[in-house]
Amino acid sequence: IAKNNNIIINNTFSASTGANSVVTIGSNNNTLENNTYVLGKSDGRIIQFGGTTAINNVFIRDTFSDGTSGTVSDTGFNFGASTTGNRCIECIFAQNLTSQVQFNSNNANLTFLNSTFNSSRVAGSAAQSRHIVQWYLTVNVTDTSFNAISGATVTFRNNTNGLQNTVSTNPTGLTNATNITQYIRNSSTFNYQTPITVNASRPGYDSNGTTVNLTTQMITLILLPTGYPPNITNVTVNKTSANPLE
């Protein structure tokens, strides 16, 4: 793929003997959705990022398969160019790929959102390369009788109390699926953001929260008790007459 701004949907791509990669991307702002990529040779690569740059390419619900025995050089994504802003959303990587991702270039990064892959098979420690792993987290906010609470404010904070996101519940008491970061790997260093602290609040209810150790997509429940009535200050009235009506 040498030109920018392509949309490629519902295809099957395969590489046979003699092909180094199934697809080579040396361009920007491409969308590849609902495609299947089959690596049909040993020592091959499914997606090769090459050329000068490969920026802001997104893969949506794509499947990356290895039809070989999984030799030492079989690779899912291979970064050989300066790449930023590339994303895999709800993608599936074959478990027998020896390297799910191989970073061979500086300034290469990739975000996995709600994708199935083997994090122990990310190889390469090129300087300034990184990948980010995120999952969908949905929150269900109800009262203690499990009645939905609409309009509750829900906040997500990482393990250093940094705010990741703020959302509101809909009439069914649910938030939209929110992208929450599990960890950021810079070169070979993991920076975990979990556990995530989730707090919910709404006027008329007591606030409540929970912690989530996010390793896959999740739905979590938060119950909000009805708020206690406000304190009433006693008022003393000095009587100046025996007649209580005066």
Side-chain angles (χ1 to χ4, degrees), residues 60-220:
I60 304 172
R61 290 182 293 277
D62 286 352
T63 300
F64 306 93
S65 301
D66 188 354
T68 71
S69 58
T71 61
V72 69
S73 296
D74 287 351
T75 302
F77 279 22
N78 186 76
F79 288 89
S82 178
T83 62
T84 59
N86 296 291
R87 294 175 293 156
C88 282
I89 301 173
E90 300 178 20
C91 294
I92 299 174
F93 286 75
Q95 292 301 302
N96 64 328
L97 284 167
T98 303
S99 293
Q100 310 273 292
V101 178
Q102 177 79 38
F103 289 105
N104 292 322
S105 172
N106 295 338
N107 303 313
N109 68 60
L110 173 67
T111 297
F112 292 98
L113 172 58
N114 225 58
S115 293
T116 301
F117 76 107
N118 188 335
S119 61
S120 68
R121 293 188 176 183
V122 175
S125 57
Q128 301 178 27
S129 66
R130 72 172 185 172
H131 71 273
I132 301 169
V133 175
Q134 298 180 327
W135 300 100
Y136 294 142
L137 179 55
T138 301
V139 180
N140 184 17
V141 181
T142 73
D143 62 21
T144 53
S145 297
F146 301 102
N147 298 305
I149 297 178
S150 177
T153 299
V154 179
T155 60
F156 305 88
R157 292 185 178 274
N158 62 23
N159 56 11
T160 61
N161 204 36
L163 183 65
Q164 283 207 22
N165 215 326
T166 300
V167 296
S168 297
T169 56
N170 61 27
T172 65
L174 293 169
T175 65
N176 291 331
T178 304
N179 303 350
I180 299 297
T181 299
Q182 179 189 0
Y183 67 81
I184 301 170
R185 178 179 174 179
N186 295 301
S187 185
S188 58
T189 302
F190 288 83
N191 179 12
Y192 282 90
Q193 307 290 297
T194 53
I196 301 297
T197 300
V198 186
N199 288 305
S201 62
R202 191 184 188 284
Y205 298 86
D206 289 337
S207 300
N208 200 5
T210 187
T211 57
V212 178
N213 193 18
L214 196 63
T215 58
T216 187
Q217 65 175 334
M218 292 182 62
I219 299 177
T220 189

